[in-house]
Amino acid sequence: MNIPKTKDRMMLGILAGGLAFIFQSIFDYASYKQKISKRNYWSTAAGVWVKSKRQANKWNGQLLGAWMTLGLNAVNGIFMVWSLTKAGLNKWPIKGVVLGSITGSITNAFLSGFAKNKVAPKDSNSTLSYTLTNAITGLVAAWGIVTFGDESLFNERRVIAGDTLSTMPININGSVVEESNPTYIH
């Protein structure tokens, strides 16, 4: 199967964030239904902008929370594309889990840290559920970046044997990219 690839970093980040949003929503919903988490992620996100739990749990509060969560995942996806194009794709699953955990922790701190957010749960089970959800979200976003990103985005520069000043761009599959001018290490 020939999967379409994109060279547009921002669109790739938005796509990866959208995929992460879908998996995050499914995992979070399951956690909430199993009573592991006291609040679903959408309610917590809506709690930043509405005054009560009741408003956050209404359909329009849930829509607001979903929209905010999608936006946060898109920002995370764009950040992950930037990070992976700079750092390379080796060990991308670990990088995805770590980056998802970091950005998710920052997001959770912001969502829970607002004094007027009465919706954010303060128990350890909910926080652990959110943390695991963020790790899965990062893994899915990284997978989306690897799957739908054009390999030219991830060219890695390696030193040629015997020549310590010049490098040749190497694609993720190990093939050398042909260029008219050699590129030098900065």
Side-chain angles (χ1 to χ4, degrees), residues 139-152:
L139 180 63
V140 169
W143 173 83
I145 292 166
V146 169
T147 303
F148 298 106
D150 188 86
E151 69 180 31
S152 66

Side-chain angles (χ1 to χ4, degrees), residues 50-87:
V50 299
K51 294 181 182 183
S52 69
K53 293 175 191 175
R54 187 176 65 77
Q55 287 180 336
N57 289 325
K58 291 171 95 174
W59 74 268
N60 52 356
Q62 290 290 294
L63 183 61
L64 173 65
W67 190 255
M68 288 179 59
T69 304
L70 177 62
L72 290 170
N73 276 304
V75 169
N76 180 34
I78 293 167
F79 172 72
M80 287 182 71
V81 167
W82 178 82
S83 297
L84 291 174
T85 56
K86 296 296 180 189

Side-chain angles (χ1 to χ4, degrees), residues 7-167:
K7 291 182 181 182
D8 187 331
R9 285 179 170 88
M10 185 166 282
M11 287 306 298
L12 180 59
I14 292 168
L15 174 65
L19 289 170
F21 169 75
I22 292 167
F23 278 85
Q24 179 186 38
S25 298
I26 292 168
F27 189 82
D28 182 57
Y29 181 77
S31 176
Y32 176 68
K33 283 299 182 186
Q34 294 291 322
K35 305 222 184 285
I36 296 169
S37 179
K38 292 192 187 293
R39 306 254 186 299
N40 65 26
Y41 207 86
W42 295 0
S43 294
T44 302
V48 172
W49 305 106
V50 299
K51 294 181 182 183
S52 69
K53 293 175 191 175
R54 187 176 65 77
Q55 287 180 336
N57 289 325
K58 291 171 95 174
W59 74 268
N60 52 356
Q62 290 290 294
L63 183 61
L64 173 65
W67 190 255
M68 288 179 59
T69 304
L70 177 62
L72 290 170
N73 276 304
V75 169
N76 180 34
I78 293 167
F79 172 72
M80 287 182 71
V81 167
W82 178 82
S83 297
L84 291 174
T85 56
K86 296 296 180 189
L89 291 179
N90 58 334
K91 298 184 176 88
W92 65 263
I94 295 169
K95 291 176 183 177
V97 167
V98 170
L99 288 172
S101 296
I102 290 169
T103 57
S105 297
I106 292 168
T107 300
N108 288 344
F110 282 133
L111 292 177
S112 299
F114 289 108
K116 69 179 189 173
N117 192 346
K118 306 283 189 239
V119 179
K122 306 294 186 203
D123 66 304
S124 60
N125 281 347
S126 295
T127 304
L128 285 171
S129 173
Y130 286 0
T131 303
L132 184 57
T133 301
N134 292 328
I136 290 170
T137 299
L139 180 63
V140 169
W143 173 83
I145 292 166
V146 169
T147 303
F148 298 106
D150 188 86
E151 69 180 31
S152 66
L153 294 174
F154 308 105
N155 286 342
E156 296 180 15
R157 306 247 177 218
R158 297 190 184 137
V159 175
I160 300 171
D163 187 0
T164 58
L165 294 178
S166 66
T167 62

Side-chain angles (χ1 to χ4, degrees), residues 151-160 165-185:
E151 69 180 31
S152 66
L153 294 174
F154 308 105
N155 286 342
E156 296 180 15
R157 306 247 177 218
R158 297 190 184 137
V159 175
I160 300 171
L165 294 178
S166 66
T167 62
M168 292 295 290
I170 307 291
N171 286 324
I172 59 175
N173 64 4
S175 64
V176 176
V177 176
E178 295 192 24
E179 290 184 333
S180 59
N181 298 323
T183 304
Y184 295 97
I185 298 174

